Amino acid sequence: SVREMERRVARAAGALRKKTAKPKSPVVRALEDALQEHLGTRVSVKQSRAGQGSIEIRYHDADDFGRIFELITRRAISEVVE
């Protein structure tokens, strides 16, 4: 039917519009790897073309979050939370 054909065309057009991820620069990749090694967990760096970005740090549970917090801040959790 015509409606079915319109849906197929719309789906195909949507698939073509999706951006492919730009490969990370060797510098960003090396720094991401160094963060992963230092923190002992998965780290993902996302960077826009303008150079802005974000760092995502994964943790498994509350204890792991505390461990990562202490590595980053060099402060004990008890210094921050009563």
Side-chain angles (χ1 to χ4, degrees):
S1 77
V2 173
R3 299 287 177 229
E4 178 61 28
M5 183 58 72
E6 288 174 342
R7 281 191 286 273
R8 287 182 184 182
V9 170
R11 263 188 300 223
L16 292 176
R17 276 190 232 129
K18 291 183 181 179
K19 293 181 180 179
T20 57
K22 180 182 172 188
K24 293 177 184 169
S25 76
V27 172
V28 170
R29 185 69 204 157
L31 296 175
E32 184 180 71
D33 290 344
L35 281 171
Q36 287 182 148
E37 185 176 323
H38 179 72
L39 298 175
T41 193
R42 181 156 182 187
V43 174
S44 177
V45 176
K46 297 187 178 16
Q47 190 174 27
S48 72
R49 291 182 184 178
Q52 299 172 334
S54 63
I55 301 171
E56 180 180 282
I57 301 169
R58 304 221 176 183
Y59 60 91
H60 301 287
D61 53 30
D63 289 338
D64 197 32
F65 179 63
R67 179 188 65 78
I68 293 167
F69 172 84
E70 290 178 355
L71 280 169
I72 292 172
T73 65
R74 295 184 182 177
R75 295 173 64 191
I77 295 172
S78 60
E79 294 178 37
V80 179
V81 180
E82 296 178 7

